[in-house]
Amino acid sequence: MDTLRIDKDTRLLVLTGAGVSAESGIPTFRGGNGLWENHPVEQVASPEGFRRDASRVWRFYSQRRAGAAPCEPNPGHLAMAEWERKLGDRFLLATQNVDGLHRVAGNQRMVELHGNLFTTRCSRCTREPFEDRLAYPDGTVPLCGECGGMLRPHIVWFGEVLDERNLLRVGEFLERKDTRLVFLAVGTSGAVYPAAGFVQAARERRGETWLVNADPADNTLLFHHFVRGRSGEVLPALVTID
Ligand code: BJW
Ligand code: ZN
C-alpha cells in the first residue's frame, strides 16, 4: 500500500464523510436506497421539508440521535486523533459528519461543516445553539423557551449556507505559505458541495491529494492517489509522520 509521508515541513488537511463512521455502525447517506420512510432524504433534510412537516423532521432526527448515541469511534477516527496530537497546528480536520465521533476520539482542531446531530437551535430567534440529546420519536416539535418558535436540529440542510467561520478556517489553512499542503479525503462520495470542491482548491495551492474510500467517489479522478478500502483498516497504517 502507498504511504503518505508527513515531515516537519508538511501540513495536513483531512476531509471526512459518512464512510468514516460506517464501521462505528452509522449508516451512510448514499449507500442504501437513500429513502427514509419512503421519503427522499432531501424532503426531511431541507428548510422546505421543515416548513411542510416539522414533526416528520423531528421524528427523523430523533431516530438518528437514538441510533448514533451508543456508537463509538473506530480505528479510523483514532488514527486521525493521533495525527492531530503529533502535528499540532499543522493539522486541520473538516468533517461533513454530524455524529460528533471525531470529538469523542479526541480531535479538537476540527470544523463540523454540516453541523451537529446533538445540537439544537431556534428556527426563529438568535439564541445560541445548545447541546440537546433528547429524542422526540412521537414527532413532538419542541418549542423555544425564549420566543416560543419551533426548535430545529443544528444541521446544515440542502440549500442552506455553511457557517462562514468554518469555511474561513479551511480557507486560511489552505492559503498558508509556511508548509507544503497534503489534502486527504476519507469516506465521502464527493457529491455534496462545497466540500466536494476542496480537492480542487488544494490542487490550486499545489497540494498533494489523497482519497481513501470504499468505492470510487464522484471526484476520484481529481486526486493524485486513490487507496480503495475501509477507513478503519487503511488509516492506521497509511500515514508516516517523521
Ligand atoms: C467508506 C466506508 C468505509 C462507506 N471506509 N469509505 C455546486 C455544484 C452543484 C450543487 C451545489 C454546488 N454548491 C452547492 C450546491 C447545492 C448543494 C449540493 O451540493 N448539491 C449536490 C447534491 C449537487 N449543496 C448545498 O446545498 C450546501 N449549501 C451550500 O452550498 O449553500 C450555498 C449554495 C446553495 C445552493 C446552491 C449553490 C450554493 C449544503 C449541503 C448540506 C449537506 N447536508 C447533508 C444532509 C445533512 C442532513 C443530516 O445529516 O441529517 O449532509 S447531505 C448529506 O451528504 C450529509 C453529508 O454530510 C453529505 C455528504 O455525504 P457523504 O459524507 O459523502 O456520504 P455518502 O453516503 O454520500 O458517501 C459515503 C462514502 O463512503 C461512499 O462513497 C462509500 O463508498 C464510502 N464508504 N463505508 C471508507 N468503511
Ligand atoms: Zn427562540
Side-chain angles (χ1 to χ4, degrees):
M1 187 175 78
D2 298 353
T3 314
L4 197 174
R5 295 196 80 89
I6 307 277
D7 63 19
K8 63 176 182 22
D9 297 315
T10 309
R11 69 186 185 285
L12 175 64
L13 174 64
V14 182
L15 170 71
T16 61
V20 159
S21 292
E23 288 155 84
S24 294
I26 299 178
T28 60
F29 285 90
R30 292 166 188 81
N33 60 7
L35 297 178
W36 176 76
E37 291 188 358
N38 289 324
H39 302 290
V41 169
E42 289 76 6
Q43 266 185 26
V44 276
S46 67
E48 298 76 36
F50 188 69
R51 275 194 293 274
R52 200 177 309 120
D53 191 344
S55 172
R56 181 167 72 190
V57 171
W58 269 112
R59 277 191 287 120
F60 173 65
Y61 282 97
S62 295
Q63 258 181 31
R64 300 262 309 278
R65 281 183 180 178
C71 294
E72 292 188 357
N74 65 58
H77 293 105
L78 298 177
M80 289 183 260
E82 174 79 12
W83 302 341
E84 177 180 319
R85 273 193 295 280
K86 290 191 169 153
L87 296 174
D89 74 350
R90 289 185 288 121
F91 177 91
L92 183 67
L93 173 61
T95 185
Q96 300 168 87
N97 297 345
V98 298
D99 54 44
L101 288 181
H102 284 299
R103 204 174 294 281
V104 177
N107 281 111
Q108 292 173 1
R109 295 177 189 273
M110 180 184 67
V111 292
E112 292 179 312
L113 295 169
H114 294 166
N116 186 290
L117 186 57
F118 299 103
T119 306
T120 294
R121 72 169 190 267
C122 183
S123 64
R124 189 198 281 168
C125 75
T126 54
R127 70 185 280 191
E128 279 293 299
F130 57 93
E131 188 180 342
D132 181 11
R133 306 189 77 85
L134 296 175
Y136 309 91
D138 62 350
T140 302
V141 178
L143 299 179
C144 174
E146 295 182 16
C147 78
M150 287 192 287
L151 294 176
R152 58 162 281 180
H154 186 51
I155 301 269
V156 182
W157 286 327
F158 280 108
E160 294 190 311
V161 290
L162 280 68
D163 188 325
E164 204 174 288
R165 289 165 299 186
N166 290 338
L167 291 176
L168 199 65
R169 201 152 158 216
V170 173
E172 282 171 0
F173 194 86
L174 283 167
E175 290 299 336
R176 270 165 64 169
K177 302 281 187 286
D178 58 345
T179 39
R180 179 182 79 98
L181 174 66
V182 172
F183 172 71
L184 165 65
V186 193
T188 176
S189 57
V192 175
Y193 289 83
F198 288 180
V199 57
Q200 191 66 41
R203 291 195 71 139
E204 284 161 13
R205 277 104 186 152
R206 303 168 54 101
E208 180 184 319
T209 54
W210 289 71
L211 172 67
V212 172
N213 219 46
D215 306 296
D218 289 6
N219 56 1
T220 303
L221 293 177
L222 293 174
F223 288 84
H224 295 109
H225 307 268
F226 172 38
V227 181
R228 188 166 186 172
R230 288 151 64 95
S231 56
E233 291 161 12
V234 173
L235 295 191
L238 179 74
V239 173
T240 311
I241 298 178
D242 298 332

